[in-house]
């Protein structure tokens, strides 16, 4: 048995802990397997994972220290000492792990039963799949009771009982189990929910004429109910034909205890199976929601309905090779959305190549995009492939496509139509296999009307459009991003972790963020570097206090809105109070009342 030795500062003697469970949790919270009161230990600090011959400790919310160095996961060796808070833990030696000897004076039958129950529990603890657990249970029962055969019978309300499985000595399956147990004995146990023992079946007045007793020449039978949290699951049945080994009442007590223990283990296995299924389901959902979680790395996606709609569109267009135009204000994460489309597409294993059409001078953009041959222009001393060739088999992302000069738009249109490129200075077209994604913050429809963008190219690029909303329209996503940036930049800049005050969160929520995600990143970085306090305030973020809306009681807010609405309506009606009252659907005196309050609240001239 693998054993830990736990030394707690407040205790005079170390605690010896046997790792019975596959996972043993450690922490300050009372729901842990190992609970310590050390204030430096986290509520859920770590857990120990037990293998066949070793133990691994995994940090959850706290630090695991080995010689002063932090470890997130460590396989323990004999005698190795680790520190958890102020506590020390080491893997005990086999001598330390050995249980104290039971006095020789203990009753031999009781000692044998305890040892059998211990082996039974250990065996079942190593099985978690339901089918394996059923088999291990019946094999253990046959071995412990020294029976010839053992059977597991399951019962459901309104349904006849069914034999789940039968096992013989030597962990062998029983052929035709239906013919090898007494239906009458099982029926009585399921009906009364009481254990039955037939020490000598051939002389028992109630069951000696049972067909199975006569056919199998059974000498002894035991059958006990199997329950789970008070609910009858079925029965455990064992039979023996050895006249020298007749079951006694002590054997029945052992089998009853085993059945009770088995009920608990079966319940745990059932719960563990549910947890595994939930884990698989959550894993699938997390993969599907990966793009929403990308907020933590700055893409600006979140849980708001508008962004969820964006990601639904991304999921649909990613599977085909259609051209996609991504639009939105500067800093909204257009390139990251393009990367996500590429990642989900069949071209994901191919390259993703990005080029900013507005950042490269016009005279160099064609060469950068399509490549050139040696001697094509001054300085072209060798052949050079362009970004289109580099993206072969993958995706090319043309950022700020609205900045592309008109002559180059014509050449790009040919690439989209004919899937060939012509390098600068070359006369031989080259085929290309690329998917084209593009993005712009400009209104291309307006650019077309102004003659600065080709309409035919626009329709080639804009087969599907993905419109990214600005940060100010994403609701509470801005707070998710802000908190994520705080954690990420604090780690990157090696600065203390900080949090946002309620005023700071309100300021972030109310601010318009014209620069979108990039502007938010800059404000967070500046606050982390410059602020001296643990909780950031609006001024640390560079947000003025007047940008934060005043919080009023609801009644006052309603009154203020109504008064302003009446004044605006009165202005639209040219100051005619009667017309304004008719438009508002109220009595004229209501309009007069708001005007009187406006006069009362107006400060007197000094």
């Amino acid at each position: 048995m693998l054993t830990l030795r736990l030394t707690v500062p407040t205790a005079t003697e170390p605690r010896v802990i046997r790792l019975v469970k596959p996972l043993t949790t450690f922490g300050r919270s009372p729901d842990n397997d190992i609970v310590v009161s050390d204030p430096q230990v986290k509520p859920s600090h770590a857990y120990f994972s037990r293998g066949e011959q070793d133990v691994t400790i995994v940090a959850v919310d706290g630090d695991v220290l080995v010689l002063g160095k932090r470890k997130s996961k460590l396989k323990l060796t004999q005698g190795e000492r680790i520190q958890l808070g102020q506590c020390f833990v080491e893997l005990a030696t086999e001598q330390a792990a050995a249980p104290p000897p039971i006095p020789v004076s203990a009753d031999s039958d009781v000692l044998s039963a305890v040892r059998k129950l211990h082996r039974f529990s250990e065996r079942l603890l190593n099985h978690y799949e339901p089918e394996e657990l059923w088999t291990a249970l019946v094999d253990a029962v046959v071995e412990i009771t020294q029976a010839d055969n053992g059977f597991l019978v399951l019962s459901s309300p309104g349904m006849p009982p069914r034999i789940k499985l039968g096992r013989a000595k030597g962990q062998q399956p029983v052929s035709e189990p239906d013919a090898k147990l007494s239906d009458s004995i099982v029926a009585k146990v399921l009906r009364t929910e009481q254990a039955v023992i037939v020490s000598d079946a051939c002389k028992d007045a109630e069951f000696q004429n049972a067909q199975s007793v006569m056919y199998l020449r059974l000498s002894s039978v035991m059958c006990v109910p199997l329950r789970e949290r008070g609910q009858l699951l079925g029965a455990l049945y064992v039979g023996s034909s050895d006249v020298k080994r007749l079951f006694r009442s002590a054997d029945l007590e052992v089998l009853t205890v085993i059945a009770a223990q088995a009920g608990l283990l079966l319940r745990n296995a059932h719960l563990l199976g549910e947890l595994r299924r939930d884990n698989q389901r959550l894993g699938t959902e997390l993969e599907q929601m990966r793009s929403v979680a990308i907020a933590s790395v700055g893409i600006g996606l979140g849980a708001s309905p508008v962004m969820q709609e964006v990601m639904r569109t991304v999921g649909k267009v990613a599977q085909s090779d259609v051209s996609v135009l991504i639009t939105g204000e500067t800093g909204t994460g257009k390139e990251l959305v393009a990367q996500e489309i590429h990642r989900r597409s069949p071209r994901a294993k191919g390259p993703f190549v990005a080029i900013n059409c507005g950042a490269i001078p016009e005279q160099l953009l064609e060469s950068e995009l399509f490549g050139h041959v040696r001697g094509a222009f001054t300085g072209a001393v060798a052949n050079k492939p362009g970004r289109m060739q580099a993206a072969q088999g993958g995706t090319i992302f043309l950022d700020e496509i609205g900045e592309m000069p008109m002559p180059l738009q014509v050449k790009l249109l040919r690439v989209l139509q004919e899937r060939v490129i012509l390098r600068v200075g070359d006369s031989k077209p080259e085929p290309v296999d690329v998917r084209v994604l593009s993005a712009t913050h400009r209104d291309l429809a307006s650019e077309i009307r102004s003659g600065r963008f080709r309409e035919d190219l626009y329709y080639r690029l804009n087969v599907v459009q993905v419109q990214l909303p600005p940060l100010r329209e994403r609701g509470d996503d801005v707070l998710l991003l802000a908190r994520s940036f705080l954690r990420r930049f604090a780690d990157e800049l090696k600065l203390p972790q900080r949090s946002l005050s309620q005023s700071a969160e309100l300021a972030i929520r109310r601010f318009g963020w014209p620069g979108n995600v990039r502007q938010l990143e800059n404000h967070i970085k500046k606050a982390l570097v410059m602020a001296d306090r643990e909780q950031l305030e609006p001024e640390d973020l560079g947000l003025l206090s007047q940008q934060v809306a005043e919080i009023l009681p609801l009644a006052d807010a309603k009154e203020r809105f109504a008064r302003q609405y009446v004044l605006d309506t009165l202005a639209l009606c040219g100051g005619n109070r009667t017309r304004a009252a008719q438009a508002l659907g109220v009595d004229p005196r209501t309009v007069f009342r708001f005007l009187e309050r406006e006069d009362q609240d107006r400060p007197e001239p000094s």
Side-chain angles (χ1 to χ4, degrees):
M1 173 68 71
L2 295 169
T3 305
L4 299 177
R5 187 187 298 274
L6 171 65
T7 304
V8 182
T10 56
T12 57
E13 294 290 334
R15 291 164 56 187
V16 176
I17 301 165
R18 292 184 175 184
L19 298 178
V20 178
K21 300 168 61 177
L23 293 181
T24 302
T25 56
F26 176 96
R28 202 172 65 244
S29 175
D31 57 357
N32 287 287
D33 299 313
I34 305 174
V35 181
V36 295
S37 57
D38 182 359
Q40 293 188 19
V41 170
K42 302 292 185 182
S44 297
H45 200 98
Y47 68 86
F48 296 90
S49 176
R50 189 198 71 188
E52 290 293 335
Q53 300 294 332
D54 56 36
V55 177
T56 301
I57 183 169
V58 180
V60 178
D61 192 31
D63 291 328
V64 176
L65 301 180
V66 181
L67 300 177
K69 295 183 178 180
R70 289 186 175 89
K71 302 287 185 180
S72 61
K73 185 177 182 180
L74 176 70
K75 181 176 289 188
L76 300 181
T77 57
Q78 290 287 349
E80 184 173 24
R81 204 178 195 202
I82 62 172
Q83 183 174 353
L84 305 170
Q86 300 182 69
C87 303
F88 292 90
V89 178
E90 61 180 317
L91 186 63
T93 61
E94 289 298 320
Q95 290 78 5
I102 299 176
V104 178
S105 58
D107 180 82
S108 60
D109 288 341
V110 175
L111 178 59
S112 176
V114 170
R115 286 174 175 168
K116 289 175 181 178
L117 182 59
H118 174 69
R119 290 198 304 270
F120 164 76
S121 300
E122 286 240 310
R123 191 176 307 167
L124 262 63
L125 281 170
N126 293 325
H127 295 83
Y128 295 101
E129 294 299 331
E131 294 302 321
E132 294 180 3
L133 190 58
W134 295 126
T135 304
L137 169 62
V138 180
D139 283 341
V141 167
V142 170
E143 179 185 347
I144 291 171
T145 60
Q146 299 180 29
D148 291 326
N149 296 306
F151 301 90
L152 173 64
V153 181
L154 296 183
S155 175
S156 301
M159 299 291 291
R162 62 185 180 91
I163 300 175
K164 177 66 178 177
L165 58 90
R167 303 287 288 179
K169 282 183 179 180
Q171 300 184 1
Q172 298 297 318
V174 173
S175 59
E176 300 181 3
D178 289 339
K180 296 184 179 180
L181 84 168
S182 173
D183 295 336
S184 54
I185 294 177
V186 172
K188 180 177 180 179
V189 170
L190 294 179
R191 183 179 68 256
T192 63
E193 297 191 25
Q194 298 295 322
V196 168
I197 180 172
V198 182
S199 294
D200 191 344
C202 297
K203 297 180 181 179
D204 187 273
E206 184 177 359
F207 299 111
Q208 64 180 347
N209 295 322
Q211 183 178 356
S212 58
V213 172
M214 294 185 294
Y215 176 74
L216 297 173
R217 297 179 182 177
L218 291 174
S219 296
S220 197
V221 174
M222 288 191 299
C223 187
V224 296
L226 183 63
R227 298 183 181 89
E228 178 191 6
R229 296 195 343 185
Q231 180 181 357
L232 184 67
L233 291 179
L236 284 174
Y237 175 104
V238 291
S240 174
S241 58
D242 187 357
V243 294
K244 298 179 181 179
R245 177 66 178 94
L246 300 178
F247 294 134
R248 300 171 300 167
S249 59
D251 297 315
L252 183 63
E253 290 180 8
V254 172
L255 185 59
T256 303
V257 173
I258 288 175
Q261 182 80 352
L264 294 173
L265 293 171
L266 292 172
R267 174 65 180 170
N268 290 338
H270 176 70
L271 292 175
L272 184 60
E274 288 184 345
L275 287 173
R276 285 177 173 172
R277 288 189 293 272
D278 288 344
N279 186 50
Q280 292 174 350
R281 176 180 56 80
L282 289 173
T284 303
E285 291 179 0
L286 285 173
E287 178 61 25
Q288 293 172 349
M289 297 173 66
R290 177 183 177 276
S291 298
V292 175
I294 294 179
S296 62
V297 294
I299 191 173
L301 304 183
S304 62
V306 288
M307 290 311 301
Q308 289 181 354
E309 183 59 34
V310 166
M311 294 318 299
R312 276 193 289 271
T313 303
V314 166
K316 292 177 181 179
V317 302
Q319 299 305 313
S320 65
D321 250 4
V322 298
S323 299
V324 179
L325 177 63
I326 307 168
T327 59
E329 296 179 5
T330 300
T332 50
K334 295 187 288 294
E335 181 170 349
L336 291 168
V337 170
Q339 291 174 353
E340 184 66 11
I341 293 174
H342 172 72
R343 188 192 70 83
R344 296 191 186 192
S345 74
R347 296 176 175 267
K349 293 183 179 180
F352 177 87
V353 178
I355 181 170
N356 190 325
C357 301
I360 301 175
E362 180 178 347
Q363 59 273 24
L364 297 179
L365 182 57
E366 181 179 0
S367 171
E368 192 68 25
L369 193 58
F370 303 128
H372 62 258
V373 297
R374 180 181 178 182
F377 50 82
T378 303
V381 296
N383 294 341
K384 178 187 174 183
R387 300 288 183 91
M388 281 283 185
Q389 293 98 319
Q392 185 77 9
T395 303
I396 188 165
F397 174 58
L398 305 176
D399 198 6
E400 298 301 343
I401 189 68
E403 311 293 332
M404 180 175 284
M406 268 290 196
L408 200 53
Q409 291 180 31
V410 178
K411 297 182 178 181
L412 177 61
L413 179 63
R414 184 190 179 197
V415 173
L416 296 175
Q417 290 174 335
E418 303 177 12
R419 296 294 171 178
V420 296
I421 61 169
L422 191 64
R423 291 191 290 179
V424 177
D426 199 0
S427 58
K428 182 180 178 182
E430 296 181 23
V432 288
D433 175 25
V434 296
R435 181 182 189 177
V436 178
L437 306 177
S438 55
T440 182
H441 72 282
R442 292 181 178 272
D443 181 0
L444 292 187
S446 176
E447 295 293 298
I448 292 171
R449 290 191 295 270
S450 303
R452 292 188 292 269
F453 201 85
R454 293 183 61 93
E455 185 174 11
D456 47 4
L457 177 60
Y458 172 76
Y459 289 117
R460 283 285 183 178
L461 295 172
N462 189 25
V463 178
V464 177
Q465 182 173 341
V466 176
Q467 173 70 41
L468 276 182
L471 192 56
R472 60 184 172 273
E473 295 179 8
R474 301 187 193 178
D476 287 338
D477 284 359
V478 65
L479 295 179
L480 297 176
L481 277 170
R483 296 182 190 122
S484 174
F485 289 152
L486 275 176
R487 294 190 298 269
R488 175 179 150 211
F489 295 146
D491 291 339
E492 289 180 1
L493 302 173
K494 295 180 171 56
L495 294 171
Q497 291 287 345
R498 293 189 170 91
S499 60
L500 298 169
S501 68
Q502 289 186 350
S503 298
E505 289 190 351
L506 183 59
I508 291 172
R509 186 68 177 81
R510 296 291 187 183
F511 189 61
W513 301 109
N516 293 294
V517 178
R518 291 198 190 106
Q519 185 181 11
L520 177 63
E521 286 182 338
N522 291 338
H523 280 255
I524 295 294
K525 283 183 180 178
K526 175 186 174 184
L528 281 170
V529 172
M530 302 300 295
D532 297 323
R533 45 194 163 195
E534 183 178 345
Q535 196 171 60
L536 301 180
E537 297 294 339
E539 51 268 29
D540 298 321
L541 296 164
L543 303 178
L544 302 178
S545 58
Q546 58 263 33
Q547 293 170 332
V548 183
E550 179 186 3
I551 299 177
L552 298 173
L554 185 59
D556 294 345
K558 289 180 178 179
E559 177 70 19
R560 177 178 292 186
F561 173 80
R563 183 189 304 179
Q564 187 59 48
Y565 192 70
V566 168
L567 293 175
D568 292 344
T569 305
L570 188 62
L572 291 173
C573 294
N576 188 312
R577 300 177 184 181
T578 302
R579 283 177 54 200
Q582 291 174 346
L584 292 169
V586 298
D587 190 274
R589 286 174 294 184
T590 302
V591 178
F592 297 151
R593 178 171 59 84
F594 279 108
L595 291 176
E596 288 174 356
R597 290 186 182 179
E598 181 70 14
D599 293 336
Q600 291 172 1
D601 293 343
R602 187 177 293 117
E604 295 182 1
S606 57

